[in-house]
Amino acid sequence: MKANLKYLLVAAGVISVGWGASSAHATNGMNLEGYGARAHAMGGAASGYDSGNSAIMNNPATLSLWEGKQRVGVGLRMLGPDVDAESTASSAAFAKSDGDAYFMPSFSYMRNSGKFTYGFGVIAQGGMGTEYAAGNTLFAQGRNTAAALVDLSGLEQRSELSVGRAVLPLSYRVNEKLNVAASVDFVWMGLDLKMDLDGANFAAMATAGTASGALATNAFAASGGDIDYGRFDFSDGNDFTGEAKGYGAGFKLGATYQLTNAVTLGLSYHSKTAMEDLSTEGATVYLFEDGGAINQTIPGTITVKDFEWPQKATLGAAYQFNKKLMLVGDVSWIDWSNTMKDFKMEFVANSTNATYAGQAMNVTLEQNWKDQYVLSLGAEYALTDQWRIRGGANIGNNPVPNDYLSILFPATVTNHITGGFGYTFANGGQINAAVAYAPGTDNVATGNVNTDSDVKLSHGQYNWSLNYSYDF
């Protein structure tokens, strides 16, 4: 068994390092609504009980509530977003996102030694994105810089942000009541973007100073101020990575306190990340004026600047009502307003295009997200010594104002209904499964840069997670 376990550890570790940051669609903003199937089934609440090795993404101090010696865990998470976009001016201008199934594996190992519990894990943090096929009627037309209706590229419109973490936690049992913990997190991000920007929006951004640089200025001059559209295009065509990549770090702090024999309180803090800029040399900018002098394909380097994951604080509790029933609840604050004020890109043309070689263009898309508050509630009932059933809810506000809501980044889901089960094997193994349903939300995106009208966005989800752990 131990020899087989070693092979399992190596294989799962290799898979998780390669896939751990696979793309995810937004649930709590860009965070997932729960980490680990046990917590996921109970609305994501995980502050005051042993939520398994997924505590590395919840409250690392709950690792000290586990009474085993060593535990290995593997998991698989699927997000099934359902996103529709329809012009408010014409129902014929309609698009459905083809990005409807995203898979994310995870892997972890923990060890209990005296008063210390420690280990490592690789897991997906979250992300967001959409995929609208080429030739879509919603993205067919826009306005040029003279406000005349013009055709856009007709190409695929796509975004995909993925975020993963490798986490090293350490939890310490201070006494019978108090546990404290911290973790160091290595973070990586990947981003793909295929996006048209019509000339009218390009001109408005230039006037406002949010589109600037020699390339933008000279392109306007060459077109006589009459650009039909621009296009940003960088993608590696991989479902698990992004073309523009960046690496960084963060940390977490946590504590649990046993208030009574039945009630355990939990508190955790996740720091804002410290990331390098996301960058790739494989980007292309297109500038187009129908029948004009500015039809340009410009390869170069694109850099997404100052993109960070926000800080988060959570307070929660677990109440062991009796031997069979446990009730749990968390309240979380996510500081999106600090990290999602704007989205900044710098493009520098390489020497392939002689006209614009070495010239730069800076573009800033305003985001102005609000802070998010999330209430997670759940219950677990022991049917037998082996079987447990779970249910819960995850309730939050929409952090994205309609004026800044992007068709490509519809992070608008607010509520989730969750459920699942757990089964404990006699040999020390345990399997946990969860499903979540997020009812569709309708929001009107009024600040679009790539369509000719306001757009009604409908976004719902069916998600599931599955974990297996083995104590030895």
Side-chain angles (χ1 to χ4, degrees):
M1 173 64 75
K2 289 184 177 179
N4 291 336
L5 183 60
K6 289 180 180 179
Y7 290 119
L8 174 63
L9 287 169
V10 172
V14 170
I15 292 171
S16 295
V17 169
W19 290 358
S22 60
S23 297
H25 276 245
T27 49
N28 291 157
M30 293 186 290
N31 280 321
L32 303 182
E33 76 272 23
Y35 296 93
R38 189 181 186 192
H40 191 197
M42 293 190 283
S47 289
Y49 66 95
D50 175 20
S51 63
N53 290 359
S54 299
I56 62 174
M57 287 301 296
N58 298 317
N59 178 3
T62 61
L63 291 170
S64 290
L65 300 176
W66 166 54
E67 297 180 351
K69 295 297 183 183
Q70 297 183 81
R71 181 167 64 191
V72 62
V74 293
L76 183 64
R77 178 68 181 264
M78 194 284 288
L79 287 122
D82 183 8
V83 180
D84 295 334
E86 179 182 310
S87 169
T88 58
S90 171
S91 60
F94 175 84
K96 185 175 183 62
S97 173
D98 295 329
D100 56 7
Y102 295 83
F103 295 89
M104 298 168 289
S106 61
F107 168 75
S108 57
Y109 168 78
M110 299 297 150
R111 182 181 182 89
N112 215 334
S113 180
K115 289 191 172 187
F116 293 94
T117 305
Y118 54 91
F120 67 92
V122 179
I123 193 168
Q125 168 95 55
M128 62 181 177
T130 47
E131 300 177 24
Y132 300 106
N136 208 297
T137 55
L138 181 64
F139 299 95
Q141 293 185 313
R143 300 280 174 177
N144 65 10
T145 49
L149 196 63
V150 293
D151 291 338
L152 301 182
S153 74
L155 300 175
E156 177 187 20
Q157 307 293 314
R158 178 174 176 265
S159 68
E160 192 168 277
L161 171 69
S162 55
V163 184
R165 292 190 182 232
V167 185
L168 298 173
L170 176 64
S171 185
Y172 178 67
R173 189 176 297 108
V174 179
N175 52 45
E176 292 182 356
K177 291 183 176 293
L178 178 64
N179 303 307
V180 295
S183 75
V184 176
D185 300 12
F186 172 70
V187 186
W188 59 95
M189 297 185 185
L191 177 66
D192 290 339
L193 186 64
K194 292 175 174 287
M195 181 183 75
D196 287 355
L197 180 66
D198 77 6
N201 278 287
F202 207 124
M205 292 170 66
T207 301
T210 55
S212 61
L215 195 157
T217 301
N218 292 335
F220 267 115
S223 70
D226 193 25
I227 291 175
D228 285 358
Y229 68 85
R231 178 175 172 85
F232 294 90
D233 196 323
F234 54 97
S235 173
D236 63 359
N238 191 305
D239 289 338
F240 304 104
T241 62
E243 176 65 34
K245 298 176 177 64
Y247 303 91
F251 68 88
K252 301 186 187 81
L253 302 174
T256 65
Y257 184 79
Q258 189 171 339
L259 187 65
T260 69
N261 289 337
V263 178
T264 302
L265 304 179
L267 176 67
S268 65
Y269 172 77
H270 301 188
S271 76
K272 177 182 173 181
T273 57
M275 298 291 301
E276 66 179 355
D277 293 337
L278 313 185
S279 184
T280 177
E281 295 179 357
T284 303
V285 163
Y286 300 88
L287 297 173
F288 184 80
E289 177 195 0
D290 188 20
I294 192 61
N295 301 332
Q296 297 285 336
T297 299
I298 311 171
T301 297
I302 204 155
T303 303
V304 179
K305 292 180 170 293
D306 304 325
F307 191 85
E308 302 288 352
W309 213 257
Q311 62 180 335
K312 173 185 174 182
T314 300
L315 175 65
Y319 174 39
Q320 193 68 49
F321 183 76
N322 55 39
K323 290 183 178 180
K324 291 184 176 292
L325 178 63
M326 179 178 70
L327 305 175
V328 297
D330 286 354
V331 177
S332 298
W333 162 70
I334 308 173
D335 188 19
W336 294 118
S337 65
N338 181 265
T339 57
M340 291 297 291
K341 293 178 181 178
D342 48 41
F343 181 77
K344 294 182 287 188
M345 295 185 294
E346 180 185 57
F347 177 80
V348 179
N350 64 26
S351 58
T352 304
N353 186 303
T355 302
Y356 297 103
Q359 296 184 20
M361 176 168 59
N362 294 281
V363 173
T364 299
L365 300 175
E366 292 184 83
Q367 302 293 301
N368 290 321
W369 283 27
K370 300 177 293 185
D371 287 351
Q372 189 174 39
Y373 300 89
V374 180
L375 175 64
S376 305
L377 299 171
E380 176 183 83
Y381 186 79
L383 296 173
T384 68
D385 289 342
Q386 288 77 39
W387 286 98
R388 284 167 171 75
I389 57 173
R390 304 175 180 118
N394 182 285
I395 303 166
N397 61 295
N398 173 17
V400 189
N402 282 357
D403 287 349
Y404 303 99
L405 175 58
S406 168
I407 304 170
L408 298 183
F409 299 98
T412 55
V413 168
T414 53
N415 302 325
H416 306 74
I417 301 167
T418 64
F421 70 88
Y423 181 81
T424 302
F425 298 92
N427 67 352
Q430 187 176 102
I431 189 168
N432 292 293
V435 294
Y437 167 62
T441 60
D442 291 333
N443 295 273
V444 177
T446 59
N448 299 301
V449 297
N450 40 22
T451 65
D452 184 43
S453 67
D454 294 345
V455 175
K456 185 179 79 172
L457 274 169
S458 299
H459 183 186
Q461 294 181 6
Y462 289 95
N463 309 326
W464 58 260
S465 57
L466 182 68
N467 291 99
Y468 176 79
S469 63
Y470 177 70
D471 283 39
F472 60 101

